Amino acid sequence: MSSSFDLSGVTALVTGSARGIGRALAGGLAAAGARVIVHATNFDAAEDAASSVHTQTGADVTACAFDITDEPAVTAAINRLENEVGEIGVLINNAGIQHRQPLLDISVEDWRRVIDVNLTGAFIVGRGVARRMLPRERGKIINICSVQSELARPGIAPYTAAKGGLRNLTRAMAAEWAPAGLQVNAIAPGYLRSDMTDALSQDPAFSQWLQGRTPAGRWGTPDDLVGAAIWLSSPASAFVNGQTIFVDGGLTTVV
């Protein structure tokens, strides 16, 4: 049974993995045997994270940096990584940003920036990697969505729109690429303690509300996502396609 979850020999690219959720996923896949490519927009940040993952796991870890919204840069990076590191068997589209502002106040520029990074970036990188995977008739793409793919809260409309779009992009990718042997799924985290939610986690009233609203009764952590990521990256999920797995302590299952 354990061999079904073994990632030995698999090369996995995790975007936005210098910190937070991406960093935890990179470490988890490395511990499961994968050769991991740590990504950031800034190469020094990626290199520091890659060194840390290697020290903790002993795995083969590579650092890279590129802008996920710049298609020529993405294409060049994927070509280089496939030539120098190995064929990418798993892509985790994790890179994302948040912007908190009421809909009536947010600028079009800030709206577009959030959509570009959270949704268009996943499309660009996903399509770039799929172009390599499709001729091989194998490969796994995991998009990191959110409970905001299903729910909405005031003040984060562009993020909610982007993550809702990413959930359906996951379905669209699966519809087009599953016949060629690819698997495309998503993980939708609940509220996790991370850099992106630092202001919320420091708010006693919000924390109390969240823990009462969540059946598990607590905030999540990035490490809570690792098991789902390993499963979706491994042969154990061979017949799973187009699905969004909510890892949210039960938040989206109750009224």
Side-chain angles (χ1 to χ4, degrees), residues 68-190:
I68 64 170
T69 67
D70 181 342
E71 186 172 22
V74 168
T75 300
I78 291 170
N79 291 341
R80 178 177 57 80
L81 291 168
E82 289 241 337
N83 290 333
E84 296 178 3
V85 182
E87 68 178 49
I88 298 170
V90 173
L91 165 66
I92 299 185
N93 273 318
N94 168 75
I97 59 173
Q98 179 62 282
H99 183 90
R100 302 182 187 279
Q101 195 172 16
L103 266 173
L104 292 179
D105 299 328
I106 191 169
S107 68
V108 173
E109 291 75 15
D110 283 331
W111 171 276
R112 287 176 174 157
R113 180 172 58 90
V114 175
I115 298 293
D116 280 351
V117 174
N118 290 291
L119 179 56
T120 307
F123 158 67
I124 291 172
V125 181
R127 185 171 69 171
V129 171
R131 284 180 168 142
R132 290 288 195 142
M133 291 177 168
L134 288 167
R136 298 192 286 254
E137 299 186 333
R138 63 181 180 275
K140 292 173 177 274
I141 296 174
I142 303 167
N143 296 321
I144 302 302
C145 290
S146 167
V147 290
Q148 308 303 334
S149 301
E150 176 73 12
L151 306 174
R153 280 185 59 80
I156 55 170
Y159 184 83
T160 303
K163 292 300 187 178
L166 186 57
R167 185 181 186 183
N168 265 354
L169 177 62
T170 300
R171 292 166 169 153
M173 288 175 165
E176 294 201 19
W177 300 337
L182 273 62
Q183 289 173 262
V184 187
N185 293 288
I187 297 172

Side-chain angles (χ1 to χ4, degrees), residues 35-85:
R35 180 189 302 110
V36 174
I37 302 170
V38 172
H39 161 269
T41 303
N42 177 276
F43 182 76
D44 288 342
E47 193 170 43
D48 287 347
S51 176
S52 176
V53 171
H54 171 72
T55 298
Q56 291 175 0
T57 66
D60 184 1
V61 186
T62 300
C64 72
F66 55 86
D67 179 352
I68 64 170
T69 67
D70 181 342
E71 186 172 22
V74 168
T75 300
I78 291 170
N79 291 341
R80 178 177 57 80
L81 291 168
E82 289 241 337
N83 290 333
E84 296 178 3
V85 182

Side-chain angles (χ1 to χ4, degrees), residues 75 211 214:
T75 300
Q211 291 174 78
T214 304

